[in-house]
Structures are given as structure tokens and as C-alpha cells.
């Protein structure tokens, strides 16, 4: 599995005329080696695969690393390590999006010709293999299990912060390593903010409550949103909920291999626009989900690239009314040759809890 990924990367390096490639991004390091520590760089050449890390991680490297990597201690500094491992003036690719200006300056001392690269590993990561899809399915199921356990504390009129704490506690207790992001618990008017975080506000009956949460299982994220109504749902919110739900179904159906991310976004957006809420859906329809909570591909009006079988993306339209509140519904979609598949099994119908 890791061999296959490294093989694909070597083919891309050859196309770009690179003698060596430096990978610094930890999600990319995990993808290529299964290593979960917080300091590591990979140096890949057609003939050697070096894993550069410090003393703290030598044992973890031995326990976790897959893909035929050879350990190289980083005590001398990254540039000097690379200088010693590469032939002088080699064309060395580095991850431009992941490298600070200061790190780029330090790297110059290695004596190689530095060639910026963009998204080489991220593009590979966008197409999940069967093992990754299986892990994501398990993460999604675990996230839904956590959500199911929340309902009693919502009914009890808890604070947003307490609901967030329940999510974090229950996720770990049920087997997640952590949450894939800080949960969003937005009640009442605060639900008009797409990324509201959580506060000390108490959950109010008869007003929308948006819960956006995910877990990490075996290195892979889940992501799900439900807007629920504690106690009661007034007619106006029922109407808005029905619009968001129909937009979600259209966006899901349009998440097809061979169509663009913009087309999927457009299918949901067109419906929300028709119903008069164009100004109230200001974010994209979705994003790739995998080792990172937000990754390629994107379902947004600017995304011209085509979806491919193996992409895992969210589908999360919303309508946000400033000063009143908002509704978002989010599931995860697997793009397949035979059309989109919903990875979630929890109902997306309106829930009065
Ligand atoms: Zn989400
Ligand atoms: Zn999302």
C-alpha cells in the first residue's frame, strides 16, 4: 500500500525532472509512511528513501513506519542532512505550500537546486484506496454513535460548551483518537454563523441548534452537521429546513465522477437561489475529507477540476439569516464509478429533540 503510493510519487517526480523530493507536511508523511509523530521529513530519490527525524521518535519510527524507509537522525539540522544525502546541485523538490519563507532560506544551505512543488502528495491523497474508504466508513459510524449519545444533554438545556465537552469525551471513550476539529455548537441566533465555535450560551427551545462535529479514527476524519430543534420547530424554520435538505439532495446527486466540483456546488446553489436565498449561502457545498478535515477536492464554484471515483467529499449546504439563525445539513459522500454513495446512515430529516 505505502509502496504503491511512493511508486506513484516517484513517477510524478520523473515527469517533473526532480532528482529528489522533500516532504515536510505531517499529513503527507503519515500518508507515505504511517508515522504519527510530530517531527519528520521524508527525502525520496529514485534509489533511496530517507526518514529524517529526531531522537524522540526513533522508536516510534521503528514501530510504525511502512514503505521501506531508512532512518536518518536530524540532529545536524535538515539542510546539512539533505546536503549529505543528495548529490551536489541535485534538483530537489520541496512542498511550496507547506514551507515558510524562513524554512526555505535555511534549506538553501543544502547545496541543491530548490524546486517548488505544489500538491503532489495531496493529489494522490484525494483518491482514496479501499483500505482508506473502509477506515473512513468506520470513522463516520463512530461520529454518528457519538451524536446519538448527545440527545439527552440537548433536551436538558445544556450550555453549548457542555455539549462540546460531551462530544470530545464520548469520542475518545468510544475509540476515536480525537475530534477532527473543535466542535461547532451554535444555538439560536448564533447558528447564523457557519463557523460559530461554542460559547456558554444555554440551548434554547424552539430555535435552531447546529451541531457540526467529527472524529479521527486510525488517522482518518469524519465530518457531519445536523441542525436540530430542541422542543419544537416553528413553521418558518421547517420551511427553511426543507429547502436546505432538497439542496443537499441535489448537491449529493451531482457529486459524480467526471463532473466538476463547481457542477456539484451549482446543483445545490441553483435550488437555494431559486428559493430566494442566494445571499444566505456564502460558502462552498463541500470539501474533501481524509487524513485532514479539509483537503482536495473542493466542491465550490471556482473548482473546475473533475471529481474522480475514490474522492470522499462533504455535502453541506446551508442557509444563514443574520440576527435570526441558520440551518446546515452535512453528510459525507463517496464518489464511485456508479454514482455518489452517502457514507452516513443517520437520517437527515428534521429532528425535534
Ligand atoms: Zn462539518
Ligand atoms: Zn465539512
Amino acid at each position: 500500500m505505502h509502496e504503491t503510493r511512493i511508486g506513484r510519487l516517484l513517477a510524478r517526480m520523473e515527469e517533473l525532472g526532480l532528482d529528489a523530493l522533500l516532504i515536510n507536511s505531517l499529513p503527507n508523511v503519515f500518508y507515505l509512511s504511517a508515522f504519527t509523530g510530530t517531527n519528520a521529513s521524508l527525502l525520496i530519490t529514485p534509489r533511496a528513501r530517507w526518514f529524517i527525524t529526531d531522537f524522540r521518535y526513533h522508536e516510534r519510527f521503528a514501530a510504525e513506519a511502512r514503505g521501506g524507509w531508512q532512518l536518518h537522525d536530524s540532529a545536524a539540522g535538515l539542510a546539512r542532512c539533505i546536503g549529505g544525502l543528495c548529490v551536489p546541485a541535485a534538483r530537489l523538490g520541496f512542498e511550496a505550500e507547506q514551507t515558510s519563507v524562513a524554512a526555505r532560506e535555511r534549506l538553501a544551505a543544502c547545496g541543491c537546486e530548490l524546486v517548488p512543488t505544489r500538491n503532489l502528495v495531496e493529489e494522490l491523497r484525494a483518491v482514496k484506496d479501499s483500505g482508506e474508504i473502509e477506515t473512513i466508513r468506520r470513522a463516520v459510524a463512530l461520529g454518528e454513535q457519538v451524536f446519538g449519545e448527545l440527545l439527552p444533554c440537548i433536551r436538558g438545556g445544556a450550555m453549548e460548551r457542555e455539549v462540546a465537552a460531551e462530544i470530545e469525551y464520548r469520542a475518545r471513550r468510544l475509540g476515536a483518537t480525537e475530534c477532527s476539529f473543535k466542535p461547532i455548537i451554535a444555538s439560536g441566533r448564533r447558528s447564523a454563523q457557519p463557523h460559530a465555535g461554542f460559547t456558554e450560551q444555554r440551548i434554547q427551545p424552539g430555535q435552531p441548534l447546529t451541531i457540526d462535529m467529527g472524529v479521527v479514527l486510525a488517522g482518518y476524519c469524519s465530518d457531519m452537521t445536523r441542525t436540530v430543534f430542541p422542543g419544537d420547530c416553528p413553521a418558518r424554520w421547517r420551511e427553511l429546513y426543507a429547502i436546505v435538505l432538497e439542496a443537499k439532495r441535489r448537491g449529493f446527486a451531482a457529486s459524480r465522477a467526471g463532473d466538476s466540483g463547481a457542477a456539484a456546488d451549482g446543483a445545490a446553489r441553483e435550488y437555494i437561489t431559486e428559493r430566494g436565498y442566494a445571499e444566505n449561502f456564502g460558502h462552498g457545498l463541500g470539501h474533501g475529507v481524509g487524513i485532514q478535515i479539509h483537503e482536495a477536492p473542493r466542491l465550490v464554484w471556482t473548482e473546475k477540476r473533475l471529481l474522480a471515483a475514490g474522492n470522499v467529499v462533504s455535502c453541506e449546504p446551508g442557509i444563514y439569516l443574520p440576527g435570526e439563525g441558520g440551518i446546515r445539513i452535512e453528510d459525507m459522500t463517496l464518489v464511485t464509478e456508479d454514482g455518489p454513495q452517502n457514507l452516513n446512515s443517520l437520517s437527515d430529516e428534521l429532528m425535534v429533540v
Side-chain angles (χ1 to χ4, degrees):
M1 171 175 77
H2 293 91
E3 292 289 340
T4 312
R5 296 173 186 175
I6 296 162
R8 288 196 182 120
L9 195 55
L10 283 165
R12 286 291 286 131
M13 285 169 60
E14 196 177 343
E15 284 167 22
L16 297 169
L18 298 174
D19 302 315
L21 178 63
L22 177 68
I23 302 293
N24 280 325
S25 141
L26 288 171
N28 290 344
V29 168
F30 173 74
Y31 180 73
L32 295 169
S33 73
F35 177 78
T36 62
T38 60
N39 176 40
S41 299
L42 305 177
L43 182 65
I44 306 165
T45 75
R47 258 166 271 119
R49 298 168 192 176
W50 298 101
F51 191 103
I52 305 170
T53 190
D54 68 78
F55 175 79
R56 296 172 300 166
Y57 288 123
H58 289 188
E59 271 196 58
R60 193 189 296 213
F61 164 80
E64 291 182 342
R66 301 283 177 274
W69 300 96
Q70 215 171 321
L71 179 64
H72 188 88
D73 186 79
S74 63
L78 187 59
R80 197 170 289 178
C81 291
I82 295 168
L85 296 170
C86 287
V87 292
R91 274 172 59 81
L92 171 68
F94 69 98
E95 297 182 286
E97 305 274 7
Q98 316 292 342
T99 306
S100 69
V101 173
R104 163 75 178 71
E105 281 170 7
R106 285 194 297 275
L107 210 51
C110 75
C112 295
E113 179 195 342
L114 297 180
V115 183
T117 68
R118 281 178 183 79
N119 302 324
L120 293 185
V121 183
E122 286 81 352
E123 275 166 26
L124 300 180
R125 277 172 43 197
V127 177
K128 273 70 177 173
D129 63 34
S130 57
E132 292 180 291
I133 291 167
E134 197 40 50
T135 305
I136 292 171
R137 280 186 201 280
R138 285 170 44 222
V140 169
L142 181 58
E144 292 193 347
Q145 200 183 345
V146 173
F147 182 87
E149 290 196 0
L150 291 180
L151 298 180
C153 53
I154 294 170
R155 285 189 199 108
M159 273 182 205
E160 293 176 353
R161 177 170 55 74
E162 289 166 348
V163 178
E166 291 291 338
I167 291 174
E168 286 169 338
Y169 166 69
R170 287 167 194 279
R172 288 199 195 208
R173 196 174 54 80
L174 291 170
T177 43
E178 58 189 323
C179 285
S180 46
F181 57 93
K182 197 173 105 177
I184 294 169
I185 314 294
S187 60
R189 267 187 273 178
R190 287 184 11 83
S191 59
Q193 301 176 42
H195 274 191
F198 53 81
T199 67
E200 310 245 305
Q201 182 167 300
R202 285 203 181 275
I203 289 162
Q204 301 295 318
Q207 292 187 27
L209 168 65
T210 295
I211 299 177
D212 189 348
M213 52 161 289
V215 301
V216 181
L217 183 67
Y220 286 81
C221 297
S222 75
D223 189 7
M224 179 181 82
T225 307
R226 290 291 181 272
T227 297
V228 301
F229 288 83
D232 173 44
C233 180
R236 169 163 165 72
W237 287 116
R238 277 187 194 275
E239 195 185 307
L240 287 170
Y241 194 96
I243 297 170
V244 176
L245 186 56
E246 177 59 23
K248 173 176 172 280
R249 294 192 172 151
R250 292 185 183 203
F252 168 74
S255 300
R256 306 184 71 86
D259 286 347
S260 69
D265 176 90
R269 193 167 304 282
E270 213 167 89
Y271 183 70
I272 288 178
T273 302
E274 253 170 49
R275 301 302 303 264
Y277 293 98
E279 301 302 312
N280 305 96
F281 176 31
H283 59 71
L285 177 67
H287 52 86
V289 184
I291 295 170
Q292 286 175 292
I293 186 65
H294 293 139
E295 56 179 55
R298 307 273 162 164
L299 306 187
V300 65
W301 52 89
T302 49
E303 183 57 271
K304 301 287 177 274
R305 283 180 300 178
L306 305 183
L307 295 173
N311 289 158
V312 172
V313 290
S314 70
C315 181
E316 49 180 309
I319 291 180
Y320 309 92
L321 307 176
E324 292 184 66
I327 288 172
R328 177 167 68 255
I329 313 169
E330 173 181 31
D331 277 347
M332 281 167 57
T333 308
L334 170 65
V335 179
T336 78
E337 291 296 353
D338 306 320
Q341 214 182 83
N342 193 337
L343 293 175
N344 288 78
S345 46
L346 189 77
S347 166
D348 55 10
E349 297 287 345
L350 191 146
M351 275 184 264
V352 175
V353 298

